[in-house]
């Protein structure tokens, strides 16, 4: 594809579907008190047992939000246990210890196979081996009155453990990071979508209806499950947050990572986190190819996933020097990494809207950067950006539109500054860890009331 000219891009700017952010007001910031566990909850002696394949020191998004919440509860006196695997998301480290205490969190790491994510049949075996091992560990741990919080890695974990939790007189809370098997169906996973999708959905719905509470990440997930007859009284929205808080707005010139890249005053378009099967990398690739002749714009892709590998291979094959790639950044350097970009991208395929919410949105907002969402205009992320007035939406597959919006961001520093202020203010008002932790603490008190 030939490089598009600024004139070509400007013609698209007359599109009536333009960004909703042009007249966005600045949202005032709100100071939030530290969320604390009431003494009466601790006095009950109820244990909170989280179940998820990954935990600290793993750096995947779902692992890190679990780490944040588990640490907060434990440091305030709650007896917190985590049942997880001995693996890391990227599968690049030796097996972790079977048991250890990390900042008062009791971590029980169970044996599973170790094929990793790149080999699909092996990945399925890693999932399958987790269920029986987790059940054995939970039989040792769970007792009457405990709160067992099941996440969604591996999929349908609630289906596997619900009978045991019920028999022990404990309370099951599902923390849904995605809605499976619909995600797999939306990604057209062959045999699963045709043979097992509906039976698995019925099993999943039953486990959600029988749970004490189901925590979802947004209104789209909430409404979808409510329409599948999961009682609304057993659904609660608690959004994820920017992990590794406190993350505050940081000027781009203060980022050590940006200085090390030597990009100067070019517009750095950031992407941070997993770029996997559910995310759209092709629109990013198309925009990068259109902008390959513009020396003022460079893409910084930080993270991993199948889409990241495909994008990197395509960039190399096409000679796109405006796409740069870095691996996942350590937790302690996440804020600096996020601050390296002038504007952030978030993507989600329309086929999986209502089934998941990308957590990378919150990191971009926390650091005070405009956000461009590549995905469905009526979805969760697009609505959040519109409410905050901190960016715009680009339809999946429209590389020309994305290139146009990036050119507009490049040409208007004042716009970028305004949208960034709006992003930080909206994050402070709605999406901080303190806000989420407070809602989690309220939920746990309600469960045992």
């Amino acid at each position: 594809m030939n490089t598009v000219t600024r004139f070509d891009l400007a013609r698209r700017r007359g599109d009536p579907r333009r960004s909703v952010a042009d007249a966005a007001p600045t949202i005032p910031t709100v100071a939030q008190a530290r969320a604390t566990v009431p003494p009466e909850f601790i006095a009950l002696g109820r244990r909170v047992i989280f179940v998820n394949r990954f935990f600290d020191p793993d750096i995947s998004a779902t692992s890190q939000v679990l780490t944040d919440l588990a640490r907060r509860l434990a440091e305030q006196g709650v007896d917190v246990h985590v049942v997880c695997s001995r693996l890391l998301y990227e599968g690049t480290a030796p097996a972790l210890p079977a048991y250890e205490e990390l900042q008062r969190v009791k971590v029980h790491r169970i044996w599973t196979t170790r094929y990793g994510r790149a080999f699909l049949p092996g990945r399925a075996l890693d999932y399958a081996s987790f269920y029986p091992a987790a059940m054995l560990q939970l039989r040792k741990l769970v007792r009457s009155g405990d709160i067992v919080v099941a996440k969604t890695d591996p999929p349908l974990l609630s289906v596997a453990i619900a009978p045991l939790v019920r028999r022990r007189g404990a309370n099951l809370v599902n923390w849904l990071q995605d809605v499976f098997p619909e995600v797999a169906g939306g990604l057209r996973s062959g045999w699963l979508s045709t043979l097992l999708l509906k039976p698995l959905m019925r099993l999943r719905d039953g486990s959600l209806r029988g749970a004490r509470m189901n925590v979802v990440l947004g209104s789209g997930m909430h409404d979808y499950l409510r329409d599948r007859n999961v009682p609304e009284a057993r659904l609660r929205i608690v959004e994820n947050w920017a992990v590794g808080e406190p993350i505050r707005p940081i000027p781009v010139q203060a980022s050590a990572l940006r200085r090390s890249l030597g990009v100067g005053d070019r517009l750095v378009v950031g992407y941070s986190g997993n770029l996997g099967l559910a995310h759209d990398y092709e629109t990013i690739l198309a925009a990068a190819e259109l902008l390959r002749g513009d020396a003022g714009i460079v893409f910084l892709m930080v993270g991993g996933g199948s889409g990241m590998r495909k994008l990197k291979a395509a960039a190399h094959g096409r000679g796109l020097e405006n796409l740069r790639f870095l691996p996942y950044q350590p937790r302690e350097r996440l804020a600096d990494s996020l601050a390296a970009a002038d504007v952030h991208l978030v993507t989600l395929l329309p086929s999986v809207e209502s089934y998941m919410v990308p957590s990378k949105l919150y990191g971009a907002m926390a650091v005070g950067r405009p956000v461009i969402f590549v995905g469905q205009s009526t979805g969760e992320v697009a609505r959040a950006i519109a409410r905050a007035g901190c960016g715009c939406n680009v339809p999946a597959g429209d590389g020309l539109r994305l290139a146009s919006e990036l050119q507009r961001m490049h040409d208007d520093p004042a716009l970028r500054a305004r949208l960034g202020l709006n992003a930080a203010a909206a994050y402070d008002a709605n999406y901080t860890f303190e806000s989420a932790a407070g809602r989690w603490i309220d939920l746990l008190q309600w469960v045992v009331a």
Side-chain angles (χ1 to χ4, degrees):
M1 186 180 295
N2 293 329
T3 302
V4 71
T5 66
R6 285 177 180 261
F7 174 73
D8 293 327
L9 293 173
R11 288 190 301 176
R12 180 61 71 92
R13 294 175 190 164
D15 191 324
R17 299 172 298 167
R18 273 278 306 275
S19 165
V20 297
D22 289 346
T26 299
I27 302 172
T29 58
V30 177
Q32 298 199 3
R34 180 178 172 84
T36 58
V37 179
E40 54 268 26
F41 179 85
I42 299 172
L44 290 173
R46 305 294 178 87
R47 298 183 304 173
V48 179
I49 303 170
F50 293 96
V51 190
N52 188 58
R53 273 210 308 155
F54 301 109
F55 187 68
D56 187 35
D58 183 75
I59 58 173
S60 62
T62 57
S63 168
Q64 292 200 65
V65 294
L66 171 55
T67 298
D68 283 344
L69 181 59
R71 284 177 176 175
R72 171 58 60 85
L73 297 174
E75 73 182 18
Q76 295 185 23
V78 178
D79 189 3
V80 177
H81 297 252
V82 174
V83 176
C84 60
S85 74
R86 301 175 191 176
L87 311 180
L88 297 178
Y89 184 81
E90 289 293 289
T92 55
L96 297 168
Y99 176 82
E100 63 180 329
E101 290 192 23
L102 297 174
Q103 298 188 22
R104 302 183 183 179
V105 178
K106 301 173 179 69
V107 185
H108 309 264
R109 294 195 175 94
I110 57 179
W111 180 91
T112 64
T113 58
R114 298 176 50 84
Y115 290 100
R117 300 177 57 82
F119 178 51
L120 190 58
R123 182 176 175 181
L125 286 174
D126 289 351
Y127 284 159
S129 62
F130 185 90
Y131 299 109
M135 291 292 291
L136 288 173
Q137 186 63 54
L138 290 171
R139 284 174 182 167
K140 299 175 186 177
L141 281 177
V142 179
R143 64 193 185 197
S144 179
D146 285 346
I147 303 172
V148 180
V149 182
K151 298 194 78 175
T152 46
D153 187 0
L156 302 178
L157 188 54
S158 65
V159 174
I161 71 173
L164 170 64
V165 175
R166 184 168 54 249
R167 286 196 304 270
R168 293 292 174 88
N171 303 280
L172 177 62
V173 175
N174 291 308
W175 188 0
L176 284 80
Q177 298 296 309
D178 54 48
V179 181
F180 187 91
E182 285 86 339
V183 166
L187 297 175
R188 299 177 182 177
S189 298
W191 58 272
L192 176 61
S193 61
T194 57
L195 296 179
L196 293 178
L197 187 63
K198 289 185 178 180
L200 289 176
M201 289 167 66
R202 287 194 292 268
L203 283 172
R204 189 274 323 284
D205 290 347
S207 72
L208 300 187
R209 294 185 192 112
R212 192 81 170 92
M213 182 58 69
N214 301 286
V215 177
V216 296
L217 304 184
S219 58
M221 294 173 70
H222 172 280
D223 294 349
Y224 175 76
L225 293 173
R226 179 200 61 199
D227 292 345
R228 290 196 58 83
N229 297 317
V230 177
E232 192 160 15
R234 296 190 180 185
L235 291 168
R236 188 169 299 187
I237 298 172
V238 182
E239 295 92 347
N240 285 344
W241 52 88
V243 296
E245 282 200 346
I247 293 179
R248 308 304 307 162
I250 303 171
V252 291
Q253 61 270 23
S255 167
L257 176 60
R258 184 183 178 109
R259 291 195 299 272
S260 72
L261 295 172
V263 294
D265 60 357
R266 281 179 278 183
L267 182 85
V268 176
V269 183
Y271 185 96
S272 179
N274 183 49
L275 186 62
L277 295 174
H279 307 112
D280 176 5
Y281 77 90
E282 293 180 340
T283 306
I284 299 173
L285 177 62
E289 190 154 23
L290 288 166
L291 294 167
R292 68 188 304 163
D294 192 327
I297 299 177
V298 62
F299 293 76
L300 177 61
M301 311 296 296
V302 180
S306 60
M308 194 72 79
R309 291 190 293 272
K310 292 176 182 177
L311 180 60
K312 187 173 184 179
H316 177 75
R318 302 182 191 188
L320 295 177
E321 297 181 357
N322 58 347
L323 277 163
R324 300 192 184 185
F325 297 87
L326 291 174
Y328 286 102
Q329 297 298 292
R331 184 182 178 94
E332 62 273 14
R333 295 208 295 267
L334 180 59
D336 183 83
S337 173
L338 292 169
D342 297 278
V343 57
H344 276 266
L345 300 177
V346 177
T347 78
L348 190 65
L349 294 175
S351 61
V352 295
E353 273 287 356
S354 298
Y355 307 146
M356 58 194 306
V357 180
S359 296
K360 54 185 65 68
L361 168 68
Y362 308 117
M365 294 177 73
V367 82
R369 297 295 187 269
V371 182
I372 299 178
F373 174 57
V374 180
Q376 190 168 299
S377 62
T378 57
E380 193 81 34
V381 176
R383 293 197 304 269
I385 291 170
R387 286 194 303 269
C390 66
C392 63
N393 170 241
V394 170
D398 196 341
L400 179 59
R401 176 80 178 278
L402 177 57
S404 177
E405 291 291 352
L406 293 174
Q407 196 76 71
R408 186 165 70 103
M409 292 286 185
H410 173 273
D411 294 345
D412 196 342
L415 173 66
R416 295 201 308 269
R418 178 162 55 86
L419 299 183
L421 287 173
N422 288 354
Y427 183 81
D428 281 348
N430 301 292
Y431 305 118
T432 65
F433 173 57
E434 295 303 330
S435 174
R439 283 178 281 166
W440 266 104
I441 291 168
D442 289 345
L443 183 152
L444 296 175
Q445 292 183 87
W446 177 88
V447 165
V448 299

